Amino acid sequence: MTGPILRIAVPSPLYRTFDYLPPPSRDLTDLQPGLRVRVPFGRRQVVGFLLETSASTTLDPAALRPALEILDREPLLPADVLALLQWARRYYHHPPGDVFASALPVLLRQGEPAATPTLPPAWRITPAGRAALVESVVLHRAPAQRLLLDHLAGCAAGASSETLRPVVRDSAVTLRALHAKGWAEQVAAPAADAAPPPRPGRYPPLVLNDAQAEAIATVAAALERFQVFLLEGVTGSGKTEVYLRLIEAVLARGRQALVLTPEIGLTPQLLARFRERLPGPLAVLHSGLSDRERLNAWLLARAGTAKVVVGTRSAIFAPLRAPGILIVDEEHDPSYKQQDGFRYHARDLAVIRGQQLDIPVVLGSATPALESVHNAQRERYRLLRLPERVGGGAEPSIDILDVRRQPLIEGLSRPLLERMRLHLARNEQVLLFLNRRGFAPILLCHECGWLSACRHCDARMTLHLRQRRLICHHCGDSRPVDRVCPVCGSVDLRPLGQGTERLETALRQEFPDLGIARMDRDSTRRRGSLETLLADIHNGDHRILIGTQMLAKGHHFPDVTLVGIVDADQGLYGVDFRSSERMAQLILQVAGRAGRAEKPGNVIIQTHHPDHPLLRVLVSQGYPAFATAALAERQAALLPPFAHQALLRAEAADPERATAFLTAARALADPLADGVELLGPAPAPMERRAGRYRAQLLLQATHRQVLHRFLDRWTARIWARNADRQVRWSLDVDPMELY
Ligand code: ADP
Ligand code: ZN
Ligand code: ZN
């Protein structure tokens, strides 16, 4: 033997590690897991990850190739992240190379040295800038500049350009403009340790209410051990304040805090609040950063320079020098589950990481996932409730509006329009929620019944009038709107169903004198348009707001007193067993955007199913009662969280091949599947998507361990088979969507 064998996770789709000999000229005494290693792989050179050293290999040692170079002096990832990734790799049954790669910033994956992070120079508001803010008239035409300036005014120690990115979309351009006007200046970065202590504030310190005080005391008493807390509190009940106090307690012990938020929840307001209250630089990790910025934030977290790390899903793998608490805000949010490749759930991994580190995990939400509610009910999680809005403001009242047999004007019933008039007459704002963008989801020929189908998917193309195109929301394909029916030549083509664009058009006719704002992915695509829109809404320029789920998170609209849920039916009877849970969460999230203490909001839900039992419970008794009722249904049907699922998906250009793959996989499963139920193979609910045919095989078991023992043996057999190369397949453990 020539020394230890290096067992390496190589970035490849293969479900295995690769063995190498050490590079010829390296001192081998300090080889540790977590080092990056450059290795030959096929005809390429790739950067792999050392998982372990071993005295032996199952291969012929003479056939092993030597690694080319060890890239790091010390492990890039701390032991706890390595342990988390090893756990995730086994639990999700995913190729190790891909698992380890997802934990590293792109530049490190490419072999870049992990240099000491530098604190970027900071931007600060100048006295002239403050003056300009006061005379806000000056900035009326430049909402992005005002937002950024407003943000800077809250950052006493200055803010790095990287952390300004989420504030406005083209922050670099806006910063240059502010600089040119003399309203912002660049100063040297504050030394990490010399960072000013949090300022006791421009605001008088808050007096915690009883529920907040109790929640904080309970978690603070358990900072030295693992325990999961479910912090359930309506929007505005002071959850963020609880996070902030807990983080302060953790920092006081010299430890770091990791806070996860959904992408869309990572708003400038949230960051400004964190920055204002907490000392030192904040490391922010999200998808809007450049590779360089991401690497630097990651290194700041790893070095312990950043005491607080705030990030979206993949930040669960962020290295921390001295982790003290993990917080997952909006823990029910579906975006915590990665939907392709390595399909991990960041909230679930937070619980595992907390357990491995022996530190507390706080999951917060106004509408916790049923899985989490279930865990609280069987006392695996400790439930902490903040039952009231801060300041005692009333919660919005919610009413069901039966629209059966009612005339609908582009989806709006008369009673809803009447209520809108009432609120608008009082000079208040109205918000309408419709989770479908575009003008209409279908274009129909009235003569022969032709529908605007997508050429590549089993789906209709959505009519977008503004862009004058038919667009498929599933594969992105688009084409000009047909003028005549491609089948019968008729010109009588009619849009069917409602989208936000159509609602906007209808409302402009109904309320010609009022400002109307539409907020969806189409209306906010242009740079700066979201900022302009939000600023105009807050100025009161728009009286009616229409939006998709984009409206449901992050932003608060205090002058909105009426919220209309235009179409709740879609969610009540969706294909997925989770649709009613999603709908309930969305309704309450949207409701939470509205009103304030002295002006509570009203919510009206239009539905053709006013007697839907879960909807009734939600409206009359609130989310906790809804969750209990929905869990009872899940239990009766033996669905998660009372069963555990995995979904094997396959897709191919030829539908036979996808199904053949799954049939073969099922044949491998049958002899092993004791205690595991197999359903399928069956075509996916949308069988054809982007030109490929999709099929799936669902696995379900009442005991998680039984399912995982089965998966261990089964996936090994699937991998060992000489699979059809035309078929792409993947395993989704704990799938959140069954298509
Ligand atoms: P949530 O995160 O649950 O939506 P927040 O923590 O953002 O709630 O609190 C809502 C608002 O109330 C914020 O403006 C916050 O500063 C304020 N707030 C929170 N706790 C208190 C308190 N105890 N007294 C006064 N104001 C508070
Ligand atoms: Zn026709
Ligand atoms: Zn399509």
Side-chain angles (χ1 to χ4, degrees), residues 265-436:
L266 192 55
T267 57
Q269 293 96 311
L270 181 85
L271 290 178
R273 228 166 128 190
F274 271 61
R275 208 162 269 129
E276 187 175 85
R277 284 281 293 276
L278 303 168
L282 196 68
V284 182
L285 290 163
H286 63 94
S287 63
L289 301 178
S290 72
D291 290 347
R292 182 65 53 191
E293 288 167 336
R294 181 172 263 277
L295 173 59
N296 204 46
W298 193 89
L299 292 170
L300 285 172
R302 178 171 175 265
T305 316
K307 304 292 179 231
V308 181
V309 180
V310 185
T312 51
R313 185 174 57 224
S314 66
I316 188 53
F317 301 117
L320 300 168
R321 172 144 295 235
I325 194 167
L326 307 176
I327 296 174
V328 183
D329 189 27
E330 309 279 9
E331 64 89 36
H332 66 280
D333 197 280
S335 74
Y336 284 125
K337 176 84 199 254
Q338 168 105 359
Q339 291 294 6
D340 52 20
F342 173 30
R343 296 166 185 259
Y344 63 94
H345 198 303
R347 176 200 59 220
D348 296 348
L349 287 183
V351 171
I352 299 299
R353 192 171 180 188
Q355 189 171 25
Q356 291 178 342
L357 286 167
D358 206 19
I359 59 171
V361 179
V362 177
L363 311 178
S365 175
T367 52
L370 293 186
E371 283 81 358
S372 301
V373 174
H374 179 58
N375 278 322
Q377 286 177 351
R378 49 184 190 147
E379 296 184 356
R380 290 189 143 207
Y381 297 175
R382 171 117 187 228
L383 181 65
L384 304 170
R385 270 215 179 115
L386 304 182
E388 283 165 11
R389 283 195 171 191
V390 169
E395 273 189 62
S397 65
I398 305 184
D399 295 312
I400 296 177
L401 178 58
D402 181 359
V403 295
R404 283 175 301 181
R405 294 178 298 272
Q406 297 245 18
L408 295 177
I409 301 171
E410 305 292 14
L412 298 173
S413 65
R414 290 213 176 283
L416 178 56
L417 283 167
E418 289 311 312
R419 283 292 287 277
M420 289 178 65
R421 277 185 227 289
L422 212 70
H423 287 256
L424 292 168
R426 291 203 299 252
N427 235 354
E428 296 159 358
Q429 288 177 326
V430 173
L431 187 161
L432 293 178
F433 173 73
L434 178 62
N435 212 5
R436 213 187 285 120

Side-chain angles (χ1 to χ4, degrees), residues 178 296 483 649 683:
L178 292 180
N296 204 46
R483 288 174 187 284
R649 295 188 174 88

Side-chain angles (χ1 to χ4, degrees), residues 630-645:
L631 277 169
E633 282 192 0
R634 298 268 186 95
Q635 185 162 28
L638 273 186
L639 286 167
F642 300 94
H644 303 279
Q645 297 182 328

